[in-house]
């Protein structure tokens, strides 16, 4: 799993020197790989609008995280037995997620910076809302199809007491269309096969001699046919039960059996037809949602930095990639030490715009914005984690 932290610091000489000290210390101690995180200039608007955007972006951030997690899990669910290839389908603009974040560039075509911040945020929000609506619609159809198919498949599994018999029996196993005779199916424990062969003809009057035949087995027992007169059917069932032979209720209906088989074939065909288009849609829109999510991160860094460091806009954002999970504690200590001179209120506040990380740590650590990217499992990065005052513009 790759983890990233976003931080920002004022862009004055003192703090740029502090960033250089941070880079030197983290490099020498092999704590993290640090790169500038480019954020364009936006139309700032009023202080009230920024405060409102700060709250809205926090909610949008959480929503985007939830959405990409659901999409990643849906990809895993759809691919079923191909879990090892799930990661190959979770890309951002054709690139793996770690590389996309490391080389992030603002998409001017999708989110023009000539628009107001409010308009840009509204565009991202509408895009994610539409993706979620489409996801619900598409997955509902596929899930209903998959559930129906699984239910049919379950009927073909299990023991002889519960599973469907339509794929086991054949027309030749039964006496059909007889006014007097009927063929029953009896489940006999394996240990009682010999007893069945010796006694089935005498369990009741009017049992057709040598009419039994073993047609299927499972680990516990076998399914036997037996033919007898209809008038003694109830008596035979009672006597069979007393001898621990279970009559399985089954009526051979060729039309129903054919219908069930055709339904299975249809569902398999429909699932196969929907698989490709759904997976392609998921790949394209996971990319769209993930890239939108990282743009939300950039917007949050911008808004929080302006609110914390004031106007004119002058801050520098930096992306940190910790080398080892065990080094994160030391990395936080370095950041606290390097930026101790910043206003204590700003340093103590939490800017939770990371991807991944420990949500509990966010309330404890100033200014860090962790970003954790997809592990080898299908769950995409989660948002949250330690907070260090955002930093980062020109």
């Amino acid at each position: 799993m790759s983890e990233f932290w976003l931080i920002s610091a004022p862009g004055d000489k003192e703090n740029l020197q502090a960033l250089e000290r941070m880079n030197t210390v983290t490099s020498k101690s092999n704590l993290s790989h640090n790169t500038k995180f480019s954020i364009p200039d936006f139309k700032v608007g009023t202080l009230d609008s920024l405060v409102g955007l700060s709250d809205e972006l926090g909610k949008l951030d959480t929503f985007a995280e939830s959405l990409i997690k659901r999409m990643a899990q849906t990809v895993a669910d759809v691919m079923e037995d191909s879990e090892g290839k799930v990661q190959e389908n979770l890309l951002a603009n054709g690139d793996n997620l770690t590389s996309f974040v490391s080389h992030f560039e603002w998409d001017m075509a999708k989110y023009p910076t000539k628009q107001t911040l409010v308009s840009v945020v509204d565009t991202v929000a509408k895009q994610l809302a539409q993706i979620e609506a489409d996801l619900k619609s598409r997955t509902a159809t596929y899930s209903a199809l998959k559930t129906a198919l699984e239910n049919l498949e379950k009927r073909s599994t299990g023991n002889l007491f519960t599973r469907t018999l339509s794929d086991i029996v054949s027309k030749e196993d039964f006496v059909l269309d007889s006014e007097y005779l009927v063929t029953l199916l009896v489940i006999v424990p394996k240990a009682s096969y010999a007893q069945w062969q010796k006694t089935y003809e005498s369990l009741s009057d009017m049992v057709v001699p040598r009419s039994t035949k073993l047609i299927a087995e499972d680990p516990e027992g076998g399914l036997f046919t037996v033919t007898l007169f209809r008038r003694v059917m109830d008596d035979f069932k009672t006597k069979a039960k007393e001898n621990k032979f279970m009559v399985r209720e089954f009526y051979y209906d060729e039309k129903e059996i054919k219908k069930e088989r055709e339904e299975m074939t249809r569902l398999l065909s429909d699932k196969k037809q929907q698989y490709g288009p759904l997976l392609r849609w998921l790949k394209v829109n996971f990319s769209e949602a993930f890239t939108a999510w990282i743009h939300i991160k950039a917007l949050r860094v911008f808004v929080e930095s302006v609110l914390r460091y004031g106007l004119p806009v002058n801050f520098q954002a930096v992306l940190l990639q910790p080398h080892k999970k065990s080094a994160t504690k030391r990395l936080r200590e370095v950041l606290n030490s390097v930026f101790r001179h910043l206003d204590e209120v700003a340093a103590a506040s939490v800017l939770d715009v990371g991807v991944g990380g420990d949500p509990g740590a966010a309330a404890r650590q100033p200014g860090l914005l962790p970003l954790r990217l997809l592990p080898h499992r299908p769950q995409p990065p989660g948002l949250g984690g330690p907070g260090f005052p955002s930093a980062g513009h020109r």
Side-chain angles (χ1 to χ4, degrees):
M1 172 184 286
S2 297
E3 183 171 327
F4 291 87
W5 294 355
L6 272 172
I7 69 168
S8 80
D12 56 49
K13 183 177 179 181
E14 179 185 7
N15 284 291
L16 290 178
Q17 290 175 344
L19 286 172
E20 287 302 317
R21 289 198 303 275
M22 175 197 72
N23 289 333
T24 300
V25 173
T26 56
S27 176
K28 285 184 177 180
S29 302
N30 197 31
L31 295 176
S32 64
H33 175 70
N34 310 333
T35 55
K36 288 185 178 181
F37 190 78
S38 299
I39 302 175
D41 291 311
F42 294 101
K43 294 182 179 180
V44 174
T46 65
L47 180 61
D48 285 345
S49 67
L50 286 181
V51 172
L53 280 176
S54 176
D55 292 337
E56 184 177 347
L57 283 167
K59 295 174 183 177
L60 191 57
D61 198 340
T62 301
F63 172 71
E65 174 192 15
S66 172
L67 178 60
I68 63 172
K69 280 184 175 180
R70 279 180 282 155
M71 296 185 78
Q73 186 57 54
T74 302
V75 171
D77 292 343
V78 169
M79 296 189 72
E80 296 178 3
D81 297 332
S82 305
E83 256 193 44
K85 297 183 178 180
V86 169
Q87 203 71 19
E88 299 173 9
N89 291 280
L90 300 178
L91 305 175
N93 284 354
D95 208 349
N96 70 70
L97 306 185
T98 297
S99 178
F100 176 80
V101 174
S102 300
H103 303 91
F104 172 75
E105 293 183 4
W106 186 269
D107 191 331
M108 294 290 185
K110 282 185 182 176
Y111 314 112
T113 55
K114 292 181 180 180
Q115 297 179 350
T116 64
L117 269 174
V118 173
S119 297
V120 173
V121 173
D122 185 58
T123 298
V124 179
K126 287 180 178 178
Q127 178 191 11
L128 292 174
Q130 185 60 55
I131 291 175
E132 184 194 37
D134 290 346
L135 176 67
K136 287 180 178 179
S137 173
R138 290 172 181 267
T139 55
T141 302
Y142 189 81
S143 295
L145 181 61
K146 186 177 178 182
T147 300
L149 187 56
E150 287 173 350
N151 288 338
L152 274 181
E153 288 173 341
K154 282 179 182 178
R155 293 179 60 189
S156 299
T157 60
N159 59 38
L160 292 171
F161 290 94
T162 58
R163 62 160 295 158
T164 182
L165 302 179
S166 60
D167 59 339
I168 293 177
V169 300
S170 65
K171 185 176 181 180
E172 291 70 28
D173 296 323
F174 296 85
V175 174
L176 300 174
D177 304 321
S178 171
E179 183 179 353
Y180 301 105
L181 296 175
V182 63
T183 299
L184 300 181
L185 298 177
V186 184
I187 301 171
V188 179
K190 281 194 172 181
S192 302
Y193 280 9
Q195 181 190 352
W196 167 258
Q197 292 288 358
K198 290 178 181 179
T199 63
Y200 81 91
E201 293 181 7
S202 60
L203 289 177
S204 178
D205 296 332
M206 301 184 178
V207 176
V208 177
R210 296 184 297 279
S211 63
T212 193
K213 180 175 67 172
L214 177 64
I215 59 174
E217 286 186 291
D218 68 12
E220 286 78 40
L223 186 68
F224 289 80
T225 62
V226 59
T227 302
L228 44 90
F229 279 75
R230 291 182 182 274
R231 58 186 294 185
V232 299
M233 184 167 59
D234 291 340
D235 181 56
F236 182 89
K237 289 180 179 178
T238 301
K239 295 291 178 58
K241 187 174 182 181
E242 290 174 357
N243 285 271
K244 298 183 179 179
F245 306 140
M246 183 61 64
V247 176
R248 173 76 190 268
E249 298 294 339
F250 181 83
Y251 175 70
Y252 186 87
D253 186 327
E254 199 163 15
K255 289 182 179 178
E256 283 299 316
I257 290 175
K258 182 180 178 183
K259 183 179 177 182
E260 184 175 317
R261 290 172 180 168
E262 288 175 346
E263 177 69 1
M264 175 70 81
T265 302
R266 183 188 67 80
L267 289 173
L268 285 169
S269 176
D270 288 351
K271 182 183 177 186
K272 186 176 181 180
Q273 288 178 4
Q274 290 193 26
Y275 175 86
L278 177 59
L279 185 59
R280 285 192 294 273
W281 183 90
L282 285 166
K283 289 169 63 176
V284 169
N285 285 274
F286 176 87
S287 174
E288 292 291 313
F290 187 86
T291 55
W293 189 35
I294 303 306
H295 280 77
I296 293 169
K297 301 297 185 188
L299 287 166
R300 292 194 71 188
V301 171
F302 182 88
V303 170
E304 297 297 336
S305 297
V306 173
L307 286 173
R308 293 177 187 191
Y309 305 138
L311 294 172
V313 175
N314 185 28
F315 67 90
Q316 178 60 58
V318 179
L319 185 71
L320 288 73
Q321 183 177 7
H323 288 314
K324 298 178 182 178
K325 191 173 182 64
S326 58
T328 56
K329 182 179 179 181
R330 172 59 181 153
L331 184 56
R332 291 190 185 99
E333 291 172 352
V334 169
L335 292 170
N336 277 335
S337 175
V338 170
F339 295 103
R340 193 180 301 278
H341 62 281
L342 290 177
D343 178 76
E344 291 185 2
V345 174
S349 58
V350 175
L351 177 53
D352 176 18
V353 301
V355 184
D358 168 22
R364 301 189 296 271
Q365 192 66 22
L368 243 35
L369 315 173
L371 249 120
R372 180 174 299 160
L373 296 190
L374 277 172
H376 295 297
R377 297 292 301 158
Q379 292 76 16
L383 300 207
F388 194 67
S390 87
H393 213 255
R394 285 156 289 284

